[in-house]
Amino acid sequence: MQAIQTFHVIPKIPENLSALSELARNYWFVWSESATDLFLDINPELWQQSYRNPVWFLNHVPQSRYVELARDDAYLARLRKAKRELDEYLAEESKYKIEGNLEKQPAVAYFSLEFGVGLCLPIYSGGLGILAGDHLKSASDLNIPLVAMGLLYRNGYFRQYMTPDNWQQERYPNYDFEQMPLFRARTPDGQNAVVRLSAGNRDIAAQVWEARVGRISLYLLDTNIAENPEDLRALTARLYGGDNETRILQEILLGIGGVKALSLLGLEPRVIHMNEGHSAFAALESIRTLMKRHSLTFEAASELSAAGRVFTTHTPVPAGNDRFPADLMYKYLASYAQDMGLAFKVFMALGREDPYNDSELFCMTVLALRLSRFNNGVSKLHGKVSRRMWHKIWNNYPEHDVPIGSITNGVHIPSWVAPDMAALYDRYLGDNWRDDQSNPHSWQGLAKAPDDEVWRAHERQRAALIDFTRLRLIKQAQAKSARTAELKELEKRLDPDALTIGFARRFATYKRANLLLQDKESLLRIIRNSERPVQFIFAGKSHPHDNGGKDLMREIINTFQGPDFHNNMVFIEDYDIEVAFYMTSGCDVWLNTPRRPLEACGTSGMKALFNGVIQFSTLDGWWDEAWKPDNSVGWAIGLGEDYDDDAYQDKVELQTLYTVLEKEIIPDFYDRQGKIPLSWVSRMKQALMELGPIFNSDRMVQDYFRTAYTEAYNSSLSLCRNDFAPAREISKWRMDIMTKWGGVQMNGVTCLKQESYNVGDSVDVSVQVFTNGIPPEHLRVEIYAGRVGQDGSIQDRKTHVMQPQGEVHDGWHMYAGQLPTDDSGRFGFNIRAVPEHPLLPKQPFFGLIKWVE
């Protein structure tokens, strides 16, 4: 018999437990152990079943259990305490204020295609999303005036499972947003917020949802509403799903729709931080909005918009950056370009490395780089790689001077530290490790922590990992209809006392997850040693279309399941935040084998660091700047060499990997005094004391605040004064400079013609410059000097500004300066001229430069 009507029945939460609902609606619970424990203690099995989703969880707790809790004085006291902690947290005054931001407006909007805030908001695929989530959590902890914008995917990324022959398969759950910690966003007049935009001849509408991440509002756009046709309703179905057409529409929705959504909500942040090129259309919509609202030219609006744009690139290979063909761009954005008064060819040039190459695809990263005044990679090495990758945009500049800096990523420590390690920190660091993470003094208390206490905390975390892994292996086997005997054997799989090495990340081929398996003889020798047992736990996902990654995964799992390996090597399916948490807290060694320099940062190792897990990695990403040559904070595979031959690189680094593993890591782990590996524990503590203050997301967000957000905000504000007169002035100045620059000349360099100088001497240098009508104050002339390599190129350069000395004759001006000699060696110099305006940063965004030839 079919029901003629359906309805939901949900438990009635007693009044004295109502605070549970408030705690459930703010993702602060993710990094609050006291809040999480309140849910866990109600019903541990149901909490696990809910994927730690407190809204769904509270709606499925039996009414009888609420009746019990309402009479439990101890539980009620804990609930009141947690609610008080949240209230005090939300009410705390911010220490990070931007001078001039007097209105009650967020100063910064952070745009990203994915966010990894918590297990129950599955709109992330991997490191990029987790980093974005950690950015929001630290921005909340620091009380930075920031909001965020993303998309809300009905099916999320994918859940992973393996076929009987170990080929990755994907399943896509349907998420009920009403059963998640989300709110329908409201406009200032209380209306339901639905943003509308056009892409070509398609009209798109999106419901705006709000996720509260501590003090931060994360707004998410959802096109699955009745107003849209079926194909557009599916636009926000899956993260990184669909074809190139789906991707460009998602990025139009995020960038253009995101800026429109903020305006609809009454929010006008001056700074937009674009996390990866996916959100670059936000810069275009900012320009279009300024043009329409304030009658600015495209040039003036571009200068004003770019002053307040921050762009972070995460991709160290050209193929990883989104590129779209001209016909697709024309289909969806030709009318948009026309509305901005731009010829389509000019519009396309904004996204091309060579603006004159009509056959080049439109690149979102190029667009973001051109329309931002602060660009950065996510580690020092990645900044260097990015400058090399995008040198063509500023091809007249030395690679070192390409305007892409670096801010190294960090992780949100309270989200990733396991309870045993957190308790240890509480005892020996007090609240400093939560409230002042980037202060080196905050971590020094670990020096006083007894070695046996540190080791016991770590051993409990390893035991928790082994228990978790066994349960996951049993669940995986049950899904494949395993026999009872096999399930019983899995209950004892792995050794809770053995050296446990973890490898967990996206299965892209450059990460070389199978490097370890290329010497099976050495691997067998290690895992067959019963006196010093070693075991490996692997996890990870491949992109649904990455068959190379899937092949790699199948090879690894098939090997692990073979009779020689299955007792010591396992693969956990469906890698997500929960799996990452147990692995990064419970392993002894974190193995990372990317092919240098293809790892932009690699934050999984940082999560492991804060749980006392020792790093063992190639010198790539963050580890390239963290590792110490004395191995006092962890081990390296190689010394940061660059190779042209991949096969040779694999051979050399494989040999190094096993040498270090057998000669250093395994002996150090099993060298015990009593039951304590004193040298190992010393390395754990040293890594935390030295690296802890650096590789956390509080330090990262503070870096963005000080070096990017504040400067961008003030620069944007300065261009708005007097009805945007400075922005208009700069646009006119730029057009004048572009017209006259071709006629600028330099010659007549004079300096002392000595073969050698003593350290401390100064070399007087002068040059004559034909300014072609450009005022001398708008021309910066510099001595560009440094050590000279064998090929005659200047290395490790320093610049020294030359001062104008007046006109010599017929438009030629003399500039003079001094070149100090601070060190010994072989040095050389050249002289360059670049345009300069007091309202613009001293970076070569225009790409204009003249050298003495």
Side-chain angles (χ1 to χ4, degrees):
M1 180 63 67
Q2 295 294 310
I4 61 172
Q5 188 174 344
T6 62
F7 50 88
H8 291 286
V9 178
I10 61 175
K12 183 177 181 180
I13 300 178
E15 181 64 29
N16 61 354
L17 295 173
S18 62
L20 284 170
S21 297
E22 295 183 57
L23 293 172
R25 293 285 181 173
N26 192 312
Y27 283 91
W28 174 79
F29 78 84
V30 170
W31 67 98
S32 167
E33 189 177 343
S34 60
T36 301
D37 285 349
L38 285 169
F39 299 122
L40 176 67
D41 292 348
I42 293 175
N43 187 323
E45 290 184 10
L46 187 66
W47 179 242
Q48 188 67 24
Q49 182 185 341
S50 75
Y51 287 102
R52 301 182 188 176
N53 176 352
V55 174
W56 184 95
F57 172 79
L58 293 178
N59 286 338
H60 289 78
V61 171
Q63 188 68 47
S64 58
R65 181 61 175 139
Y66 283 125
V67 172
E68 291 175 10
L69 292 170
R71 299 169 180 164
D72 186 335
D73 290 339
Y75 186 87
L76 292 172
R78 290 168 55 205
L79 176 58
R80 288 192 296 270
K81 181 175 181 293
K83 175 61 167 58
R84 186 167 59 251
E85 288 173 357
L86 174 60
D87 290 343
E88 291 172 353
Y89 177 86
L90 295 177
E92 187 177 325
E93 190 74 16
S94 176
K95 300 176 184 175
Y96 292 87
K97 296 179 180 178
I98 296 177
E99 186 178 348
N101 184 28
L102 302 178
E103 63 271 24
K104 291 185 177 179
Q105 281 279 350
V108 182
Y110 184 91
F111 278 60
S112 182
L113 201 60
E114 53 174 299
F115 287 91
V117 174
L119 188 66
C120 64
L121 187 62
I123 56 171
Y124 62 92
S125 70
L128 176 69
I130 300 299
L131 180 278
D134 282 3
H135 193 109
L136 300 194
K137 293 172 188 176
S138 279
S140 173
D141 289 344
L142 297 168
N143 210 347
I144 302 290
L146 179 146
V147 294
M149 181 62 65
L151 303 184
L152 186 59
Y153 307 98
R154 184 170 74 250
N155 306 136
Y157 195 42
F158 67 88
R159 310 299 307 201
Q160 177 196 59
Y161 69 96
M162 300 297 168
T163 61
D165 65 344
N166 293 319
W167 184 258
Q168 174 184 289
Q169 289 286 82
E170 300 85 30
R171 63 180 178 86
Y172 293 90
N174 244 329
Y175 295 105
D176 182 356
F177 301 147
E178 302 286 357
Q179 291 280 317
M180 297 169 70
L182 295 168
F183 300 87
R184 291 181 184 269
R186 299 288 173 182
T187 62
D189 61 359
Q191 299 299 307
N192 182 38
V194 177
V195 67
R196 293 174 176 84
L197 65 151
S198 297
N201 62 358
R202 305 300 306 275
D203 293 328
I204 305 172
Q207 170 70 52
V208 186
W209 295 83
E210 180 185 4
R212 295 174 184 169
V213 185
R215 303 177 177 110
I216 302 297
S217 288
L218 164 60
Y219 295 105
L220 301 165
L221 306 182
D222 165 28
T223 62
N224 185 30
I225 58 177
E227 189 173 328
N228 290 322
E230 195 60 37
D231 64 324
L232 293 181
R233 292 183 69 165
L235 193 57
T236 54
R238 298 177 181 179
L239 171 61
Y240 302 134
D243 55 14
N244 220 22
E245 194 152 359
T246 301
R247 177 63 68 84
I248 194 172
L249 284 171
Q250 286 184 333
E251 296 184 3
I252 288 171
L253 176 64
L254 174 62
I256 298 174
V259 171
K260 287 178 174 289
L262 290 173
S263 180
L264 179 68
L265 296 168
L267 303 174
E268 302 289 345
R270 289 192 179 277
V271 179
I272 290 181
H273 184 174
M274 298 176 289
N275 189 44
E276 194 58 294
H278 309 131
S279 51
F281 288 136
L284 282 176
E285 179 60 17
S286 299
I287 294 170
R288 193 195 69 83
T289 301
L290 289 166
M291 292 174 67
K292 299 297 181 184
R293 285 186 186 176
H294 305 292
S295 300
L296 296 175
T297 64
F298 175 80
E299 290 75 19
S302 295
E303 292 300 336
L304 178 53
S305 173
R309 299 298 158 261
V310 176
F311 172 57
T312 300
T313 176
H314 293 259
T315 310
V317 290
N321 295 270
D322 286 342
R323 297 176 189 267
F324 299 115
D327 59 344
L328 198 59
M329 292 290 295
Y330 189 87
K331 179 178 180 180
Y332 289 116
L333 290 158
S335 57
Y336 188 84
Q338 186 178 22
D339 187 47
M340 299 174 75
L342 295 181
F344 186 69
K345 182 175 180 178
V346 175
F347 183 82
M348 287 293 292
L350 294 171
R352 287 171 167 157
E353 293 177 71
D354 179 358
Y356 305 105
N357 181 359
D358 292 343
S359 64
E360 186 181 327
L361 299 178
F362 186 96
C363 178
M364 296 295 284
T365 302
V366 173
L367 178 67
L369 288 168
R370 287 196 192 282
L371 298 182
S372 301
R373 290 291 176 263
F374 185 95
N375 303 308
N376 70 283
V378 290
S379 67
K380 291 178 181 177
L381 179 59
H382 181 232
K384 181 179 178 180
V385 170
S386 298
R387 288 189 288 275
R388 185 182 310 140
M389 275 180 62
W390 305 110
H391 185 202
K392 190 175 180 182
I393 301 174
W394 296 274
N395 60 350
N396 290 323
Y397 274 77
E399 186 179 293
H400 180 88
D401 292 332
V402 168
I404 302 175
S406 66
I407 291 180
T408 302
N409 285 341
V411 298
H412 185 248
I413 303 174
S415 292
W416 294 103
V417 171
D420 287 292
M421 191 60 72
L424 184 81
Y425 292 169
D426 285 338
R427 281 195 296 277
Y428 295 99
L429 304 180
D431 288 334
N432 290 344
W433 73 275
R434 300 177 193 271
D435 301 333
D436 201 11
Q437 301 165 15
S438 57
N439 185 341
H441 296 294
S442 298
W443 296 90
Q444 297 312 303
L446 286 173
K448 299 177 181 178
D451 291 344
D452 61 338
E453 197 171 336
V454 174
W455 187 242
R456 282 198 303 271
H458 177 68
E459 287 196 306
R460 287 192 294 272
Q461 291 179 182
R462 189 193 316 117
L465 168 63
I466 300 305
D467 287 343
F468 172 80
T469 303
R470 288 171 175 171
L471 290 173
R472 290 297 291 257
L473 293 175
I474 290 170
K475 182 180 178 181
Q476 292 169 201
Q478 288 173 332
K480 297 181 176 67
S481 303
R483 292 175 298 176
T484 302
E486 182 181 349
L487 297 178
K488 285 287 186 184
E489 187 273 330
L490 290 174
E491 292 177 359
K492 299 178 181 178
R493 180 71 61 87
L494 302 179
D495 179 354
D497 296 318
L499 172 61
T500 303
I501 300 175
F503 182 101
R505 52 193 35 88
R506 183 165 56 91
F507 264 66
T509 51
Y510 78 85
K511 293 179 183 283
R512 298 188 297 177
N514 65 340
L515 183 64
L516 190 74
L517 304 183
Q518 293 179 26
D519 183 357
K520 291 182 180 177
E521 182 179 336
S522 294
L523 181 58
L524 283 170
R525 184 171 62 249
I526 287 172
I527 66 175
R528 284 174 173 171
N529 187 336
S530 58
E531 293 184 3
R532 293 178 168 180
V534 179
Q535 57 199 10
F536 295 84
I537 301 176
F538 275 52
K541 291 179 176 179
S542 286
H543 186 281
H545 302 314
D546 182 6
N547 288 331
K550 290 183 177 183
D551 273 329
L552 194 65
M553 191 181 302
R554 178 163 58 182
E555 172 199 346
I556 288 169
I557 298 173
N558 285 340
T559 300
F560 286 8
Q561 292 177 346
D564 291 328
F565 299 96
H566 78 281
N567 284 325
N568 300 77
M569 308 188 79
V570 299
F571 183 91
I572 301 177
E573 295 178 13
D574 202 21
Y575 185 47
D576 61 9
I577 284 178
E578 183 178 35
V579 175
F581 181 84
Y582 278 100
M583 288 191 65
T584 57
S585 61
C587 289
D588 299 296
V589 172
W590 197 251
L591 179 64
N592 191 26
T593 54
R595 192 182 303 284
R596 176 187 164 103
L598 300 181
E599 184 85 284
C601 186
T603 53
S604 64
M606 298 177 188
K607 301 174 181 75
L609 160 71
F610 287 107
N611 283 291
V613 179
I614 306 299
Q615 309 295 310
F616 182 32
S617 173
T618 51
L619 292 179
D620 201 3
W622 78 284
W623 193 236
D624 181 65
E625 60 195 82
W627 176 72
K628 310 294 181 185
D630 61 0
N631 293 326
S632 59
V633 297
W635 288 277
I637 302 171
L639 297 174
E641 302 91 343
D642 292 320
Y643 296 87
D644 295 323
D645 186 331
D646 288 352
Y648 181 69
Q649 180 180 7
D650 289 351
K651 179 181 178 181
V652 172
E653 293 183 345
L654 179 65
Q655 185 178 19
T656 303
L657 188 157
Y658 276 106
T659 298
V660 175
L661 197 55
E662 293 188 272
K663 302 292 187 184
E664 297 186 50
I665 295 177
I666 296 174
D668 200 59
F669 182 84
Y670 284 106
D671 181 14
R672 308 289 174 98
Q673 288 192 20
K675 295 183 178 181
I676 312 299
L678 295 181
S679 174
W680 191 277
V681 174
S682 173
R683 188 175 279 104
M684 291 169 63
K685 291 160 70 172
Q686 194 67 26
L688 286 164
M689 288 189 290
E690 288 195 35
L691 307 182
I694 303 171
F695 297 101
N696 62 81
S697 55
D698 275 22
R699 185 275 312 155
M700 174 189 75
V701 172
Q702 289 175 52
D703 282 354
Y704 278 110
F705 182 83
R706 291 167 182 153
T707 64
Y709 296 164
T710 301
E711 182 176 335
Y713 187 96
N714 290 330
S715 180
S716 172
L717 185 63
S718 70
L719 297 185
C720 294
R721 301 189 191 284
N722 301 321
D723 191 27
F724 305 97
R728 300 178 204 273
E729 176 192 334
I730 286 181
S731 66
K732 288 178 61 178
W733 171 82
R734 181 176 179 179
M735 295 297 292
D736 184 58
I737 290 287
M738 299 290 283
T739 302
K740 296 176 177 176
W741 192 256
V744 174
Q745 302 174 52
M746 291 193 293
N747 62 29
V749 177
T750 59
C751 69
L752 294 176
K753 299 291 186 181
Q754 294 180 211
E755 288 293 326
S756 63
Y757 295 87
N758 294 320
V759 172
D761 288 347
S762 291
V763 183
D764 292 318
V765 180
S766 63
V767 64
Q768 292 187 30
V769 182
F770 180 69
T771 64
N772 198 27
I774 297 174
E777 63 269 20
H778 289 162
L779 200 63
R780 188 168 83 253
V781 182
E782 298 174 324
I783 304 169
Y784 187 96
R787 294 183 184 275
V788 175
Q790 292 183 348
D791 61 353
S793 64
I794 296 173
Q795 303 167 355
D796 301 322
R797 66 97 173 117
K798 291 183 179 180
T799 59
H800 308 274
V801 176
M802 305 179 76
Q803 300 299 326
Q805 305 298 308
E807 186 173 4
V808 180
H809 61 87
D810 302 326
W812 286 87
H813 291 253
M814 178 71 73
Y815 285 78
Q818 288 190 325
L819 173 58
T821 57
D822 299 327
D823 205 352
S824 58
R826 184 169 177 247
F827 291 83
F829 74 90
N830 201 325
I831 297 175
R832 69 180 185 183
V834 294
E836 180 177 58
H837 194 286
L839 290 173
L840 290 176
K842 290 178 171 56
Q843 290 201 64
F845 292 105
F846 302 154
L848 301 178
I849 192 168
K850 289 286 184 178
W851 296 91
V852 171
E853 297 180 358

